[in-house]
Amino acid sequence: LEDIRLLKLKIRDLQRQLHIAKGGQENVDDLSRNLIQAQKDLLKEKVKVKALTDELENPMNVHRWRKLEGSDPDAYEMIQKIHILQKRLLLKTEEVVKKNSSIQEQEER
């Protein structure tokens, strides 16, 4: 009787392990499918990168690009322009203050 009980326990334990293994197998199948899809996506992206690299090294459509005319102004020139604009701004601000004060004087009369 004791042997039968031990065998039943052993059978339950083996059934539990079988159930766990089947669940793990389903998970492995899903992961395997995901891995295959990721590898396909990676291959597609590698092909795109290779094509773009080749296009960049040997452009087929040379009329696609044009050289831009002009040059970047030097830092000194930019600083000079900033000073000129600041002076103009100060003069305009003073004019506005004078006009506002004259308007106020006329309104007081």
Side-chain angles (χ1 to χ4, degrees):
L1 241 72
E2 184 66 26
D3 290 339
I4 293 174
R5 189 176 69 75
L6 287 176
L7 287 174
K8 285 183 181 180
L9 286 175
K10 184 105 174 165
I11 289 172
R12 279 191 219 132
D13 186 45
L14 288 173
Q15 286 175 341
R16 184 182 56 81
Q17 289 179 359
L18 178 64
H19 180 69
I20 291 171
K22 284 183 180 179
Q25 178 63 33
E26 291 173 3
N27 192 18
V28 168
D29 290 341
D30 289 341
L31 291 175
S32 177
R33 277 187 241 113
N34 288 344
L35 176 63
I36 291 170
Q37 185 61 40
Q39 287 174 340
K40 287 180 183 178
D41 292 343
L42 178 63
L43 186 60
K44 285 180 187 177
E45 294 302 318
K46 282 183 178 181
V47 168
K48 284 182 187 177
V49 167
K50 179 69 174 151
L52 290 172
T53 304
D54 291 344
E55 172 67 21
L56 186 61
E57 289 174 358
N58 301 315
M60 293 179 197
N61 187 2
V62 293
H63 301 293
R64 197 162 120 190
W65 296 282
R66 61 181 170 84
K67 292 189 178 189
L68 296 176
E69 298 297 325
S71 62
D72 289 336
D74 294 329
Y76 179 71
E77 291 175 7
M78 295 298 290
I79 291 171
Q80 282 181 330
K81 286 182 181 180
I82 289 172
H83 287 301
I84 291 169
L85 290 172
Q86 285 175 340
K87 287 178 185 177
R88 286 177 53 193
L89 179 63
L90 286 173
L91 290 173
K92 293 292 182 183
T93 306
E94 288 175 4
E95 287 178 23
V96 169
V97 168
K98 286 179 184 178
K99 287 184 180 183
N100 281 341
S101 63
S102 67
I103 289 173
Q104 285 179 356
E105 286 177 9
Q106 289 178 359
E107 286 178 355
E108 289 175 3
R109 292 182 188 173

